[in-house]
Amino acid sequence: MHARSIDSLALDSYQRAARVILANHLVTRTYPDRIALPLLRRWATELREDLAELFGYRLEVTETTARLFPVLDRLDAGRPARTTGDRLFDRRRYAYLALALAALGRAGDQITLSELADQVAAYTERVEGLELAPDRAADRDAFVDAVGWLAARGAVTLADGDAGGWASDPEAGEALYDIDRSVVFALFRPPRALQHLQSVTGLLGEEAGGSDTRSPALALAAREVRRALVEQPVVYADELAEPQRSLLGQEKLVAEVEYLTGLRAERRAEGVALIDSSGRLSDVRFPGTGTLAQVALLLAGEIADLVLDIDNPVERRPRPDRPLLDLVEQLDTAIPSNTVFAPLADPVDVFGPHEDSDVEAAEPEIPDFPFLESSWIRDTVQMLTDRYGNTFAAQWQADVPGLTTEAVSLLERLRLVEPVDGGLLILPALARYRGAIVTVRTRAETELFISPTQLGANAVPADSSTAPADSSTEKGSGN
């Protein structure tokens, strides 16, 4: 591992570079900022070998881009693309994004927004159930969101005009974009040709080479655990089979990830989480500012107080069996079978043991978790709204159901709760936020303010057997 040989004075720079590429996966001259690419180019050789050895990741660095090709061990529905206004992409926006990439790959150095829209509209004619009608405002807005996602990453750069003007009136507005072909080609590089896949599991990546001297199966299991540590807010031991579960408890393996990233691991009986106080390996900071983040924190505190009250135990339930299978089935049913080239189709079973495995897999014991009914969650958010509502952002003061949905969604992304039929299962890491102290800043009437410093001192685990939540989470979603 090259990080061990880096001078201590330069180690912080190397660790910052590692965090940047693990968080973003694609780095360009302007994305995520203008200092990221020079930093990665400085450490390209060391990072390329360390990322391959520790995680099985492949790193490509050129003069204009740095692209990390991660290995996905499982599908994750919690990392959606978002618009520049932080709205989630829907199916139409994803489709426009994919077709816009295809059109840009065949374009020259510049293209107008209307020309790109015409090309994407022509492509949609070949896709059943999809259409881009420039005379329909909803289609134009969705298309501009897709182009904005590309612009944020440097694939296209606005040279003249205004995309918003075109979205408002395509007859009067227009925008001209410069195309960065190197970014376009770096953005979408699937491990296999899509036309050859019969299942979405075929998109799960293939490992780069490493220098681990242990048995192939054990080396693979170790890389899977390290990947989980940097890709998930919390790694729960009960979700792992052997030998991954035993490896998670090894000091050396966790220390390797700490040393590469410069982050600190919190270990508890239930699992391990990397604590990212830098904010460079995270999409969402928690605790954070804004109504949603702070209501989610208040809700977490109320939940923790309830489920940790030993005098009034709540109902407990096991987690649902393998929800990943449901996601795979849903995605596979959306694959148009007439586009799959059967002779080259390569189905992949990601749930069975590896062919070269010499370690007998053992299913972990399935624990029970506290269960809270949806009605209790709704009533609690209503109580918080009654108490602090005049300090909430205006859009949420009159939409308590929407506020409840979004706050729960945030806690789910942080792996603090898991929605099930009729309510929520409360995961161990949530106990880290018990006892948060609230301070209302009266001079800012449009928001609820909770001091992050105060939270850092008071939102601590109730006991040492509770796994921590990542203080700023959702790692590595730069794809």
Side-chain angles (χ1 to χ4, degrees):
M1 181 174 171
H2 283 82
R4 298 288 184 185
S5 60
I6 294 173
D7 184 88
S8 59
L9 296 177
L11 182 60
D12 179 68
S13 173
Y14 178 77
Q15 292 171 335
R16 282 190 287 115
R19 293 196 295 269
V20 166
I21 195 61
L22 285 170
N24 296 283
H25 294 182
L26 173 70
V27 172
T28 67
R29 285 173 289 195
T30 59
Y31 182 82
D33 52 49
R34 295 187 179 276
I35 64 174
L37 186 61
L39 179 65
L40 286 167
R41 285 174 54 81
R42 174 186 176 185
W43 298 108
T45 300
E46 294 86 352
L47 281 173
R48 187 179 296 113
E49 297 187 19
D50 283 348
L51 291 168
E53 178 179 343
L54 294 180
F55 307 103
Y57 292 172
R58 178 165 56 91
L59 176 64
E60 292 182 2
V61 180
T62 69
E63 291 185 1
T64 57
T65 63
R67 184 69 166 94
L68 183 68
F69 295 88
V71 179
L72 301 180
D73 295 306
R74 64 178 190 174
L75 301 178
D76 187 351
R79 298 176 180 175
R82 294 175 178 270
T83 70
T84 53
D86 205 37
R87 297 189 306 274
L88 299 182
F89 266 42
D90 54 16
R91 296 180 68 176
R92 175 167 50 178
R93 284 167 172 79
Y94 280 120
Y96 290 166
L97 175 60
L99 296 177
L101 272 173
L104 292 172
R106 296 174 173 84
D109 295 329
Q110 287 187 321
I111 194 168
T112 65
L113 190 59
S114 58
E115 289 173 340
L116 183 58
D118 288 342
Q119 292 186 34
V120 170
Y123 289 157
T124 63
E125 296 176 359
R126 310 177 194 175
V127 183
E128 185 178 352
L130 181 65
E131 182 183 13
L132 171 55
D135 60 346
R136 193 157 52 217
D139 286 7
R140 295 197 303 272
D141 289 342
F143 178 67
V144 168
D145 282 340
V147 174
W149 190 94
L150 294 169
R153 284 151 183 80
V156 294
T157 303
L158 185 65
D160 193 17
D162 175 27
W166 180 87
S168 299
D169 184 357
E171 298 297 328
E174 185 60 281
L176 176 66
Y177 287 94
D178 295 325
I179 302 172
D180 190 325
R181 300 181 67 82
S182 64
V183 177
V184 170
F185 293 140
L187 262 172
F188 186 63
R189 298 267 296 278
R192 297 177 180 85
L194 299 185
Q195 293 89 339
H196 301 168
L197 300 178
Q198 291 177 321
S199 171
V200 69
T201 56
L203 290 175
L204 300 182
E206 297 176 340
E207 288 204 356
S211 59
D212 200 314
T213 58
R214 294 175 291 186
S215 70
L218 199 58
L220 174 60
R223 287 195 288 271
E224 289 174 349
V225 174
R226 296 190 198 99
R227 291 195 289 262
L229 286 170
V230 297
E231 296 289 346
Q232 300 177 24
V234 185
V235 182
Y236 291 110
D238 71 273
E239 296 178 338
L240 304 177
E242 291 292 351
Q244 289 87 346
R245 191 162 67 251
S246 296
L247 289 168
L248 181 65
Q250 292 185 4
E251 180 77 21
K252 180 178 181 296
L253 183 144
V254 177
E256 289 172 337
V257 180
E258 288 182 303
Y259 199 82
L260 176 76
T261 61
L263 305 183
R264 176 177 58 84
E266 282 194 9
R267 302 170 178 83
R268 296 292 187 269
E270 291 87 354
V272 179
L274 292 181
I275 304 304
D276 178 18
S277 58
S278 71
R280 296 305 297 267
L281 193 60
S282 310
D283 290 346
V284 178
R285 293 191 63 86
F286 191 76
T289 58
T291 298
L292 283 180
Q294 294 170 348
V295 169
L297 180 62
L298 289 170
L299 178 59
E302 295 291 334
I303 293 173
D305 288 342
L306 179 65
V307 301
L308 295 174
D309 184 355
I310 60 176
D311 295 327
N312 297 285
V314 300
E315 179 185 352
R316 301 182 72 89
R317 295 185 183 180
R319 297 171 81 173
D321 292 334
R322 305 180 76 184
L324 175 58
L325 286 174
D326 295 334
L327 177 60
V328 171
E329 291 171 358
Q330 291 174 28
L331 293 174
D332 284 352
T333 57
I335 296 176
S337 57
N338 62 336
T339 66
V340 176
F341 186 35
L344 294 181
D346 184 18
V348 178
D349 179 13
V350 297
F351 304 110
H354 296 281
E355 292 182 0
D356 63 346
S357 176
D358 56 6
V359 180
E360 184 177 352
E363 289 296 325
E365 181 181 350
I366 300 176
D368 291 335
F369 295 92
F371 170 78
L372 296 180
E373 294 183 354
S374 299
S375 58
W376 186 92
I377 301 296
R378 291 194 299 267
D379 291 345
T380 301
V381 176
Q382 182 64 61
M383 177 271 291
L384 295 172
T385 303
D386 294 340
R387 184 179 300 173
Y388 303 111
N390 63 336
T391 65
F392 289 0
Q395 71 182 98
W396 299 119
Q397 293 183 24
D399 186 13
V400 177
L403 178 60
T404 304
T405 299
E406 292 299 325
V408 169
S409 177
L410 177 56
L411 295 179
E412 181 187 5
R413 290 176 62 190
L414 299 170
R415 307 204 74 209
L416 304 180
V417 302
E418 182 172 315
V420 294
D421 290 342
L424 297 177
L425 292 182
I426 311 306
L427 304 185
L430 184 136
R432 190 170 192 264
Y433 300 100
R434 184 184 188 185
I437 297 176
V438 179
T439 302
V440 178
R441 188 175 58 191
T442 56
R443 62 187 174 86
E445 298 181 354
T446 59
E447 66 176 359
L448 170 67
F449 178 77
I450 305 174
S451 168
T453 302
Q454 197 167 24
L455 287 171
N458 293 281
V460 296
D463 59 71
S464 61
S465 65
T466 301
D470 199 342
S471 60
S472 46
T473 61
E474 199 74 33
K475 310 180 188 75
S477 57
N479 279 333

